[in-house]
Amino acid sequence: LLDPFNGRTLLVCIVFLGGACNIIGSGIFISPKGVLEHAGSVGLSLIVWVCGGGICTLGSMCYAELGVTIPKSGGDYSYVTEIFGGLVGFLLLWSAVLIMYPTTLAVIALTFSNYVLQPAFPNCLPPFIATRLLATICILFLTWVNCSSVRWATRIQDVFTIGKLLALVLIIVVGLVQICRGFYDALRPSTAFEFREEPSVGQIALAFLQASFAYSGWNFLNYVTEEVVEPRKNLPRAIFISIPLVTLVYTMTNIAYFSSMTPQELLASNAVAVTFGEKLLGQFSWVMPISVALSTFGGINGYLFTSSRLCFSGAREGHLPYLLAMIHLKNCTPIPALLVCCIATIFILCIGETHNLINYVSFINYLSYGVTIAGLLYLRKKRPNLVRPIKVNLLIPISYLIFWAVLLGFSLYSEPVVCGLGMVIMLTGVPVYFVGVHWKNKPKWIYQVVGKQQTHHFTPWLTRAATNDFFHNQLIDQ
């Protein structure tokens, strides 16, 4: 329906902007403190932010090849299942349902509550109970919204995206004004690399894990490969524009922080953007906590929306209990899957501390990225004649995997409990897979326990979605 040139230009622009907006999220308001704490100096922390963007570029190029070679929805889960088989795919799904999504939701919810409550407690940290209670209320409310209407959920996402853009633009502009006025002592080369203590390789690895939380979402770029005109040309172009753009925004945001705060002040702050606003915005400092709260509120809604659909997809494929593949008859929302995500998130946010949770989830995220990119190399050897519209140089996945191995090895060495716990939880999926999925001739009572035969007797308001494209078509209708 569009002129070929204009249509192509429009679609490429959508991919560029969509890729950048997928990555930019509430992580930039959470991670700077953790990156600086582990890096030990302003200069090294800025290097970590820049290099983190470069690593994401390498990874997204590998994902682009997988996305056009295996054109299936589901991302990592679909690729790994196709390449390595059901067990590895199930473990990826298992870790996503139990670790990745609930922990990410917990971190964002705690950030939301900290930024809302911090202005009320200017001289101390908000009470533990208060932050957990407000985060829980936020999760429960957005779960109710997502259970009630897809339209409401998508409208919230559209409106609250403005919050994060407003906050970042404000921080960067004010920071640049400060630098132009000569306030950049912490950024001078003579002081930027003054270390509080000499960082070990393990601490630098943990700094990368903290930064990677802010870059989460780079692997979503390949989800649009089937819709892109000339993906061989335009998808790499989208990667090379959107990820450097995000890297620039993140680096400039951190530079802006250091234009008004000393490293000690940033480390002492529980809500960096609020401290920034209090020091520079005067009577308008209230804009900053509101903007960040809007951003994190929208982030929670988006993760609830996608994580519940992953549970739904896994249940439909037989990898999770049948009940999770049920949807509400009238609202067409996956209520059981949403409730599981909600309960898991509330449990994690009640027992975890924000920066430990970031190390915990980032370690598992990197583990899944590495397994997926290793699948690219395995697929090259196993099926060398497979049609690949995009084929990256082998040095790219090999370089990524070398960095991946070093990062995970030293992170595990530095934080054996936090990082090792994630691996243990992931491996608990092995017996679950063999009992729940691989074992086909199970007794009838097991099917009754998981609801595979009698769900309709006690949930008359639920039904099972019939097609793989159900939610996609529903969103288009809405």
Side-chain angles (χ1 to χ4, degrees):
L1 297 178
L2 294 170
D3 171 77
F5 175 77
N6 290 334
R8 184 181 299 114
T9 305
L10 173 64
L11 201 50
V12 172
C13 289
I14 290 172
V15 173
F16 294 163
L17 297 176
C21 289
N22 262 332
I23 302 171
I24 295 176
S26 54
I28 186 58
F29 305 116
I30 308 169
S31 297
K33 178 178 177 179
V35 173
L36 179 62
E37 183 178 357
H38 292 296
S41 74
V42 172
L44 187 55
S45 69
L46 293 176
I47 291 173
V48 168
W49 282 105
V50 174
C51 292
I55 296 301
C56 291
T57 303
L58 296 181
S60 55
M61 290 175 67
C62 299
Y63 269 67
E65 176 178 329
L66 287 170
V68 295
T69 305
I70 308 173
K72 290 184 176 181
S73 60
D76 310 53
Y77 170 56
S78 296
Y79 305 150
V80 169
T81 303
E82 176 78 16
I83 297 169
F84 294 118
L87 175 59
V88 182
F90 175 81
L91 291 179
L92 212 63
L93 175 68
W94 181 257
S95 62
V97 172
L98 292 185
I99 301 174
M100 295 181 199
Y101 279 111
T103 306
T104 303
L105 276 165
V107 170
I108 300 174
L110 288 173
T111 304
F112 168 81
S113 60
N114 279 327
Y115 271 90
V116 170
L117 294 173
Q118 189 63 53
F121 298 91
N123 300 319
C124 62
L125 297 179
F128 179 91
I129 296 297
T131 56
R132 268 59 185 179
L133 182 60
L134 182 57
T136 301
I137 291 171
C138 179
I139 293 291
L140 290 173
F141 173 74
L142 287 173
T143 300
W144 173 76
V145 169
N146 278 267
C147 288
S148 301
S149 172
V150 174
R151 183 190 295 270
W152 291 0
T154 54
R155 290 291 181 273
I156 285 176
Q157 199 62 27
D158 293 340
V159 172
F160 283 83
T161 298
I162 298 171
K164 65 183 176 186
L165 300 179
L166 174 63
L168 287 174
V169 169
L170 189 60
I171 289 170
I172 292 173
V173 170
V174 172
L176 289 176
V177 170
Q178 282 290 98
I179 291 173
C180 291
R181 294 171 60 190
F183 296 99
Y184 50 86
D185 291 342
L187 299 170
R188 297 180 188 275
S190 57
T191 57
F193 289 93
E194 289 182 357
F195 292 95
R196 294 180 295 108
E197 58 182 66
E198 202 69 27
S200 64
V201 178
Q203 288 298 313
I204 296 175
L206 292 175
F208 271 101
L209 283 188
Q210 291 283 329
S212 72
F213 182 80
Y215 283 106
S216 297
W218 62 262
N219 56 321
F220 294 162
L221 286 169
N222 64 308
Y223 284 21
V224 297
T225 51
E226 293 179 82
E227 288 77 27
V228 176
V229 178
E230 299 180 13
R232 182 178 180 181
K233 180 191 299 183
N234 289 328
L235 194 57
R237 189 180 298 169
I239 291 168
F240 289 131
I241 291 179
S242 61
I243 295 183
L245 176 62
V246 173
T247 305
L248 177 64
V249 169
Y250 281 1
T251 306
M252 293 303 297
T253 302
N254 279 272
I255 289 174
Y257 287 148
F258 292 121
S259 71
S260 63
M261 289 184 282
T262 65
Q264 293 74 22
E265 287 175 326
L266 193 147
L267 290 173
S269 173
N270 194 46
V272 179
V274 170
T275 305
F276 177 87
E278 289 173 348
K279 289 180 70 72
L280 295 183
L281 299 181
Q283 61 181 344
F284 296 103
S285 60
W286 55 267
V287 173
M288 197 56 65
I290 290 177
S291 298
V292 178
L294 292 175
S295 171
T296 50
F297 192 80
I300 295 167
N301 179 73
Y303 266 96
L304 265 176
F305 188 92
T306 53
S307 61
S308 62
R309 269 62 183 178
L310 181 64
C311 290
F312 170 87
S313 178
R316 189 180 53 211
E317 297 299 324
H319 282 177
L320 290 174
Y322 177 86
L323 179 64
L324 298 182
M326 307 296 282
I327 61 170
H328 193 276
L329 274 169
K330 181 181 178 182
N331 298 331
C332 300
T333 52
I335 291 179
L338 281 163
L339 292 178
V340 167
C341 295
C342 174
I343 293 169
T345 300
I346 292 173
F347 175 76
I348 290 174
L349 69 83
C350 288
I351 63 173
E353 186 271 329
T354 302
H355 292 286
N356 283 337
L357 289 178
I358 291 176
N359 286 337
Y360 173 63
V361 71
S362 297
F363 183 86
I364 297 300
N365 277 337
Y366 255 107
L367 191 60
S368 66
Y369 299 155
V371 171
T372 305
I373 292 174
L376 183 149
L377 296 178
Y378 181 74
L379 195 63
R380 288 274 190 98
K381 182 178 180 181
K382 181 182 176 183
R383 302 173 66 181
N385 298 322
L386 190 65
V387 177
R388 293 175 171 87
I390 295 175
K391 190 173 183 178
V392 299
N393 189 297
L394 278 177
L395 288 176
I396 293 176
I398 290 173
S399 300
Y400 184 92
L401 289 174
I402 291 173
F403 173 82
W404 171 80
V406 171
L407 178 71
L408 293 191
F410 281 103
S411 299
L412 187 60
Y413 175 78
S414 298
E415 290 279 2
V417 175
V418 173
C419 299
L421 180 61
M423 291 189 67
V424 170
I425 293 176
M426 177 184 283
L427 292 176
T428 59
V430 175
V432 175
Y433 172 80
F434 282 105
V435 173
V437 179
H438 188 72
W439 182 19
K440 300 298 183 184
N441 299 318
K442 292 185 280 289
K444 290 184 178 180
W445 66 267
I446 294 181
Y447 289 107
Q448 293 174 0
V449 169
V450 298
K452 194 159 187 174
Q453 289 182 342
Q454 297 183 349
T455 303
H456 61 280
H457 292 310
F458 55 86
T459 53
W461 41 276
L462 293 174
T463 186
R464 189 183 185 190
T467 67
N468 292 348
D469 295 327
F470 180 83
F471 286 109
H472 176 70
N473 294 335
Q474 183 200 12
L475 284 174
I476 291 175
D477 293 340
Q478 293 283 5

